[in-house]
Amino acid sequence: MFGSGPDTGHGNSGVSGPLLIPMRFVWPYGGRRVFLSGSFTRWLEHIPMSPMEGCPTVFQVICSLSPGYHQFKFFVDGEWRHDEHQPFVNDNYGIVNTIFIAREPNLVAPSFSTETPGRSNMDVDDAFVSSEPVTTVSDADLEVSRNRVSAFLSRHTAYELLAESGKVIALDVNIAVKQAFHILYEQGIPVAPLWDSCKGQFVGVLSALDFILILRELGNHGSNLTEEELETHTISAWKEGKVYLGRQIHGNARSYPRCLVQAGPYDSLKDVALKILKSKVATVPIMHSTSRDGSFQQLLHLATLSEILKCICRHFKHSASSLPILQQPICSIPLGTWVPNIGEPNGRPLAMLRPNATLGAALSLLIQAEVSSIPIVDENDSLLDIYSRSDITALAKDKAYAQIHLDEMSVHQALQLGQDANFFNGQRCQMCLGSDTLHKVMERLANPGVRRLVIVEAGTKRVEGIVSLSDVFRFLLGV
């Protein structure tokens, strides 16, 4: 496809130069065989790229380049491709990506910066290619983007989230906790609305957090969770006990049972999203009642932030330029929780655990840190797995809850019990890079079953942060 061009740089072909700077090239869009070619190889050599461990759709290669202007392109499964999210030009070789490497070594890092919080900029070869410095989003661009997202969400209603066909699972408050535990696991759902037949209305939800609290409470009293105890405790009894437990932990200020957070089919998507954020819940039931007093409720749907985000992505898919913040790398905007830099004051610590930590420690951390998941890392803080609240339902498999002690089972052992559950596209740990754009992160979070992405360093998979659906909506809506 390409003929020979001017010698604007040096690649891996063995040509030496006075100054060669290692640069990492990345193709993050998948493929079976991916190659890199460019002006630094005179468009003659195809340099093979390797998939990154843990991210099979991300291909990378390090090339040593001379300072100056370079052009490059990717050869993916027999087809020439360029990365639309990196600078590109249209010239005699077609559409090609471009980079410029400054001559002075101390200018290299800023010129190609994708530096993320908590990461040293000393290792230039760990940088991802970019021809421009990462700039902070302007207040004007941020305001324009937020206004347009807010306007879109205000125009559309929860009714648009309803599928043409489907099912919503609800539980009666009088069934045993044991039965509810198994239903959540067998149906692969982390939460279910609760129906009180005496009151004739929905009164709350049962979530994975309830089972975490049950396990911890029984563990604090030195007992296993036996089948008999689960069989004799109804959901209603547990909810009453939960109020008492909350009074002990938080005092009288939080001793009253929470009202069911719900929305109607004609509430705006913005209102639904704000209810989820303010109530710190995973889902909001969409209810419809034909009576004025709100009785005879009909459960239509369980709305989630993932569904609403998918609506945003679909609407702005062909007009991404109308939201200036979409092309900003996530490391340049106040989004998510990051590992603080050394000496950084007041940084919120990112909760992480080793695989040999006890399940009891993991459950306590989930509650105390008020997070929904914890990255599991090795001694170098490289990502191994992730433990989420919903993983607790895996203990229903083979009635494992009747055979464990929280302080004896490790997080690794607990994850092994649920290794067949909570997968998306065959991968439990959904990852992204600090250099990924907000648009790319939003598209991945809009996939069903993905509630968070762990931000990792390329190559090492060292955890740099975590970004959740809630983080994205708080940023987009400015709350």
Side-chain angles (χ1 to χ4, degrees):
M1 173 178 176
F2 298 110
S4 60
D7 185 8
T8 57
H10 304 285
N12 289 355
S13 58
V15 180
S16 61
L19 176 63
L20 294 180
I21 300 173
M23 297 301 301
R24 187 185 298 272
F25 291 81
V26 173
W27 175 259
Y29 309 111
R32 294 186 301 274
R33 300 184 66 193
V34 182
F35 298 87
L36 172 73
S37 189
S39 55
F40 41 87
T41 68
R42 299 179 181 270
W43 299 109
L44 298 177
E45 181 184 355
H46 291 185
I47 304 171
M49 303 181 71
S50 303
M52 190 174 80
E53 182 182 356
C55 292
T57 60
V58 179
F59 290 77
Q60 61 182 350
V61 68
I62 296 175
C63 297
S64 295
L65 307 183
S66 60
Y69 178 79
H70 301 273
Q71 297 179 347
F72 63 97
K73 205 162 186 176
F74 302 93
F75 194 60
V76 183
D77 297 335
E79 179 182 355
W80 286 104
R81 304 274 299 275
H82 71 282
D83 189 344
E84 295 180 352
H85 294 100
Q86 297 186 35
F88 59 86
V89 297
N90 196 340
D91 67 1
N92 295 334
Y93 301 113
I95 301 178
V96 296
N97 291 115
T98 62
I99 59 173
F100 178 79
I101 302 177
R103 184 170 299 279
E104 292 81 0
N106 62 338
L107 293 182
V108 170
S111 296
F112 296 90
S113 174
T114 54
E115 184 182 348
T116 54
R119 172 180 173 177
S120 169
N121 62 0
M122 296 176 62
D123 300 324
V124 181
D125 61 332
D126 278 343
F128 277 71
V129 175
S130 172
S131 66
E132 299 176 351
V134 173
T135 57
T136 304
V137 61
S138 68
D139 291 339
D141 284 347
L142 182 57
E143 183 179 0
V144 166
S145 300
R146 282 176 170 170
N147 286 341
R148 287 174 178 166
V149 170
S150 179
F152 166 76
L153 293 178
S154 298
R155 290 194 307 267
H156 295 265
T157 66
Y159 185 82
E160 298 174 52
L161 300 178
L162 274 60
E164 293 183 1
S165 62
K167 65 178 180 179
V168 181
I169 297 175
L171 303 175
D172 192 289
V173 293
N174 293 315
I175 70 171
V177 171
K178 170 188 172 182
Q179 187 178 354
F181 200 5
H182 281 275
I183 290 173
L184 290 190
Y185 172 71
E186 291 167 0
Q187 296 296 325
I189 54 176
V191 60
L194 297 175
W195 172 259
D196 189 324
S197 55
C198 296
K199 296 180 180 179
Q201 64 184 22
F202 289 93
V203 294
V205 296
L206 187 73
S207 70
L209 180 59
D210 287 300
F211 293 116
I212 291 176
L213 293 173
I214 290 173
L215 285 174
R216 286 187 72 243
E217 182 65 10
L218 290 171
N220 289 339
H221 291 85
S223 64
N224 282 17
L225 184 60
T226 65
E227 289 191 73
E228 289 76 20
E229 287 172 309
L230 282 175
E231 192 70 67
T232 56
H233 283 76
T234 64
I235 296 176
S236 179
W238 158 246
K239 288 296 185 179
E240 292 176 5
K242 185 179 179 181
V243 174
Y244 174 75
L245 182 61
R247 184 182 296 114
Q248 288 184 315
I249 297 174
H250 303 291
N252 291 330
R254 294 182 60 178
S255 62
Y256 299 101
R258 293 176 59 178
C259 296
L260 174 63
V261 180
Q262 58 181 288
Y266 301 108
D267 288 351
S268 72
L269 291 181
K270 181 178 179 180
D271 288 340
V272 175
L274 289 174
K275 284 184 178 182
I276 293 176
L277 293 176
K278 292 179 180 179
S279 303
K280 296 182 179 180
V281 294
T283 183
V284 164
I286 305 300
M287 304 285 195
H288 178 63
S289 175
T290 55
S291 61
R292 293 183 178 180
D293 61 0
S295 58
F296 303 105
Q297 292 176 317
Q298 182 181 6
L299 176 61
L300 302 178
H301 187 65
L302 295 179
T304 65
L305 292 179
S306 176
E307 295 175 308
I308 301 175
L309 186 61
K310 190 171 185 177
C311 292
I312 297 175
C313 292
R314 184 168 56 240
H315 178 75
F316 291 100
K317 181 177 182 180
H318 300 296
S319 58
S321 59
S322 65
L323 297 182
I325 59 173
L326 287 186
Q327 298 310 316
Q328 285 288 325
I330 60 172
C331 64
S332 69
I333 55 180
L335 179 69
T337 303
W338 296 77
V339 175
N341 286 316
I342 296 177
E344 184 178 58
N346 301 323
R348 180 186 176 186
L350 180 65
M352 295 187 287
L353 286 175
R354 300 282 188 263
N356 59 352
T358 65
L359 179 58
L363 300 184
S364 296
L365 189 55
L366 284 171
I367 296 172
Q368 294 167 4
E370 295 185 333
V371 294
S372 61
S373 64
I374 303 171
I376 308 302
V377 299
D378 63 14
E379 63 277 3
N380 298 314
D381 288 343
S382 294
L383 185 65
L384 299 174
D385 211 323
I386 191 166
Y387 192 84
S388 305
R389 286 181 183 177
S390 56
D391 287 318
I392 197 69
T393 59
L395 295 181
K397 183 179 181 181
D398 300 326
K399 301 179 181 178
Y401 52 75
Q403 308 165 22
I404 67 166
H405 289 274
L406 297 183
D407 294 329
E408 294 178 2
M409 173 173 278
S410 70
V411 172
H412 174 72
Q413 292 171 327
L415 287 170
Q416 290 295 107
L417 293 174
Q419 59 185 349
D420 298 328
N422 298 323
F423 275 75
F424 174 74
N425 285 345
Q427 187 178 344
R428 269 186 53 88
C429 298
Q430 296 298 309
M431 294 175 281
C432 68
L433 307 172
S435 57
D436 286 342
T437 63
L438 175 60
H439 183 227
K440 182 177 180 179
V441 167
M442 287 170 57
E443 286 188 326
R444 294 198 64 187
L445 285 172
N447 287 309
V450 181
R451 293 190 58 190
R452 67 199 65 80
L453 299 177
V454 182
I455 308 166
V456 299
E457 181 182 59
T460 66
K461 290 202 297 182
R462 185 172 64 86
V463 174
E464 296 184 326
I466 192 166
V467 57
S468 68
L469 280 163
S470 298
D471 293 329
V472 170
F473 274 89
R474 288 192 188 97
F475 176 72
L476 291 177
L477 297 176
V479 297

